[in-house]
Amino acid sequence: MAPRLACFGVFLMFCATSWPLASAAEKSDADAPHWSDALKDIPIGPFRLDVGGSVRYRYEHQDDFNVQRYAEPRRGFGSDDFLLQRTRLEFTLRMGAEARAFVQLQDARVYDSDFKTDDFDWRLYSCPYRNPLDVRQAYVEWLHIGGSPFGIKIGRQAIFYGDNRVWGPGEWGNVGRYTWDAVKLIADTPAAEVHAIFADRVRYDPHSFDEHDSRLDGYGVYAMLKKLPFRLDLFWLGKRTRPDMVVDAKGTRLDLDTHTVGFAVDGKLGRGWDYGGTLAQTFGRRNGVDVRATGGHARLGYTFNHPWQPRIGAEFSYASGDPDQTDGTFQTFDGAFGGIDTTKYGWMNFFCWMNIQDYEATFSFRPTRKAKIAAEYHFFRLDEAKDAWYWSSGRPARQDATGKAGSNVGQELDLVLTYDFSQRLKAMVGYCHFFPGPFLRRTGASPGADWFFVQTLYTF
């Protein structure tokens, strides 16, 4: 208990030292001088240098679940309290408005967690809590070369589009899920901005320098159309692994060559209405069998004309499952390159975009200009009862191959308060509870799970 109290004490000390900055900023104009202004637009010959960064702390209390799984017997279904720290330092060297070099250093650490680094298969997947000082991004970018529509971005980079559902880095996690050693060719025309991407995944190594992992390639074309009354993105994404790629501690190999095509839309409809959606279809080959899988998401919301800006919304997320894993067709949608730890399928991250039906209701309001209170309710079902429930990491959590356990996995209630002390200091407090459904009660231990967190984010 003492180490955990110390852990929480460190967090409170950070909040206390940050509060005076927030109070002063709250009373000043948004354009008031800040100490970090001296680190911007520094002349270096023909270049200009900007230095910035962020410091994020998050205290978490997890009860009857952890980052790896739900209701883990070997830990006695106990609780874990820990503090996450993520520090980023960024350097941008600019030459004019179209060319720049960017370097982002990241230091991610965890204090007082029950997990050790080697409890994660970090050689296969990134350790989500810890990755000491390393280069997260380092790229050069030159847009509109010679006044043309064409540009290039090459080097280590985070790739994200739209709401990060199809391709995103997974920013909520302490380390992050995806970064890439990539080449991105860019064509920016009046009709559309089109990106052609060729990338190798970066494997986060908590013990040494992060290296690219040539066993997983990502490539594709992402087009963002212009001159429309709404946002419309079209995409084709390819995912390919080497045949010797191992995906778990059992030595299971994955030979994958798939293609995902689809679109994403976002816009407003009339006064107060907003909508959005994504539809993706995957085809190709996986371990010698055909792949036919579908993923989708739909959102509709209404914001009332009131000073508190109350908004109600409904969302539905869908990812196909596989009803028969022996029929020669693989039908489980695999989430494309969507960032894990996205909070898109519940803040507790019990689910990912695989074999899921997520019925969601949302409500939010702003009692002050700086505060936002949001509530989410999720009802989770398996799309196919014979397929697995997949954890946020994409690994099977539980499965009843007979389908007799049913499809009702459970429900989740999320309450989150966000408060902007200033433009640079933001805080979040959240409480979430998971209610197990019949599928969990019929397949093993099924306690209700709780999660509480407090987060501060300071940027400069």
Side-chain angles (χ1 to χ4, degrees):
M1 180 64 70
R4 291 177 178 172
L5 291 176
C7 165
F8 191 48
V10 171
F11 174 80
L12 292 177
M13 288 175 61
F14 173 78
C15 292
T17 55
S18 301
W19 191 283
L21 292 172
S23 299
E26 188 175 6
K27 296 177 182 179
S28 64
D29 187 81
D31 297 325
H34 187 263
W35 64 266
S36 64
D37 294 342
L39 304 177
K40 304 295 190 291
D41 205 31
I42 303 171
I44 303 179
F47 304 100
R48 287 288 189 267
L49 175 65
D50 295 333
V51 181
S54 63
V55 181
R56 189 181 79 175
Y57 283 86
R58 184 164 71 235
Y59 164 79
E60 295 192 25
H61 168 80
Q62 299 174 343
D63 206 10
D64 288 320
F65 82 102
N66 55 54
V67 71
Q68 288 190 332
R69 56 185 60 86
Y70 162 74
E72 183 180 340
R74 73 181 178 88
R75 298 188 182 278
F77 311 159
S79 62
D80 193 9
D81 300 84
F82 52 90
L83 180 70
L84 299 172
Q85 172 198 321
R86 188 177 76 188
T87 305
R88 289 177 174 174
L89 187 61
E90 301 171 350
F91 304 87
T92 306
L93 191 64
R94 295 178 284 109
M95 186 174 68
E98 305 290 356
R100 65 171 180 156
F102 178 77
V103 174
Q104 182 186 64
L105 306 179
Q106 176 174 284
D107 185 80
R109 299 177 185 269
V110 60
Y111 302 96
D112 203 36
S113 171
D114 287 346
F115 282 107
K116 300 180 176 60
T117 300
D118 290 337
D119 287 333
F120 301 95
D121 295 331
W122 56 266
R123 293 174 181 84
L124 307 175
Y125 299 92
S126 60
C127 173
Y129 289 161
R130 183 177 181 273
N131 190 32
L133 185 62
D134 215 315
V135 178
R136 183 172 184 269
Q137 298 191 74
Y139 62 80
V140 293
E141 182 180 50
W142 190 3
L143 304 176
H144 302 105
I145 299 172
S148 74
F150 304 108
I152 188 170
K153 183 177 180 180
I154 182 170
R156 183 159 298 183
Q157 55 193 277
I159 299 176
F160 51 91
Y161 294 106
D163 64 356
N164 295 332
R165 192 177 304 273
V166 171
W167 202 326
E171 286 290 85
W172 179 253
N174 203 43
V175 174
R177 172 61 173 173
Y178 283 122
T179 51
W180 304 84
D181 286 338
V183 176
K184 184 185 293 185
L185 305 179
I186 302 168
D188 187 7
T189 71
E193 182 175 337
V194 182
H195 295 182
I197 308 152
F198 309 89
D200 281 341
R201 180 184 64 178
V202 174
R203 177 172 55 82
Y204 299 125
D205 188 335
H207 301 299
S208 63
F209 184 76
D210 297 340
E211 298 180 354
H212 78 273
D213 187 353
S214 60
R215 299 173 302 171
L216 174 61
D217 296 331
Y219 55 94
V221 176
Y222 200 100
M224 295 157 279
L225 305 188
K226 301 178 180 179
K227 296 184 178 180
L228 296 174
F230 50 87
R231 195 197 89 222
L232 177 61
D233 299 348
L234 308 176
F235 55 83
W236 161 66
L237 308 177
K239 182 184 293 189
R240 183 172 57 214
T241 66
R242 284 193 344 205
D244 62 345
M245 180 177 177
V246 176
V247 295
D248 59 32
K250 299 177 181 178
T252 305
R253 298 181 184 277
L254 177 63
D255 185 2
L256 186 71
D257 187 0
T258 60
H259 307 270
T260 300
V261 297
F263 67 89
V265 63
D266 187 272
K268 296 184 181 297
L269 184 65
R271 186 173 182 178
W273 291 96
D274 65 86
Y275 65 93
T278 302
L279 183 63
Q281 179 72 37
T282 300
F283 57 92
R285 300 283 288 178
R286 178 189 177 101
N287 292 341
V289 302
D290 290 335
V291 175
R292 295 290 184 272
T294 304
H297 171 258
R299 184 197 80 237
L300 181 65
Y302 183 80
T303 302
F304 293 89
N305 184 19
H306 185 275
W308 284 18
Q309 302 175 40
R311 180 187 179 277
I312 57 173
E315 301 188 32
F316 175 66
S317 297
Y318 168 82
S320 62
D322 193 342
D324 186 354
Q325 299 182 0
T326 64
D327 64 356
T329 303
F330 186 84
Q331 299 181 56
T332 304
F333 188 75
D334 71 353
F337 295 121
I340 290 179
D341 284 332
T342 63
T343 71
K344 295 191 179 304
Y345 314 106
W347 283 76
M348 297 177 76
N349 279 300
F350 276 25
F351 298 83
C352 65
W353 205 13
M354 301 176 68
N355 190 34
I356 186 178
Q357 296 178 13
D358 176 11
Y359 301 83
E360 178 182 358
T362 63
F363 174 69
S364 65
F365 63 96
R366 292 183 174 275
T368 72
R369 180 173 58 88
K370 295 178 177 291
K372 180 180 179 180
I373 298 174
E376 296 180 8
Y377 166 79
H378 296 262
F379 175 61
F380 298 108
R381 293 179 56 87
L382 303 179
D383 180 58
E384 292 291 348
K386 294 181 180 181
D387 201 352
W389 161 38
Y390 294 91
W391 196 248
S392 60
S393 63
R395 299 182 182 183
R398 291 188 188 179
Q399 184 174 7
D400 176 11
T402 69
K404 294 180 180 180
S407 300
N408 184 347
V409 183
Q411 304 167 64
E412 182 176 322
L413 179 63
D414 305 322
L415 304 173
V416 178
L417 165 65
T418 304
Y419 192 87
D420 298 342
F421 290 100
S422 69
Q423 286 187 326
R424 303 181 186 275
L425 180 62
K426 304 177 186 297
M428 298 179 71
V429 179
Y431 170 73
C432 309
H433 182 79
F434 180 76
F435 304 86
F439 171 82
L440 293 179
R441 292 195 292 269
R442 294 165 184 165
T443 56
S446 56
D450 295 280
W451 183 47
F452 171 76
F453 73 89
V454 183
Q455 174 177 291
T456 59
L457 173 64
Y458 181 70
T459 58
F460 61 91

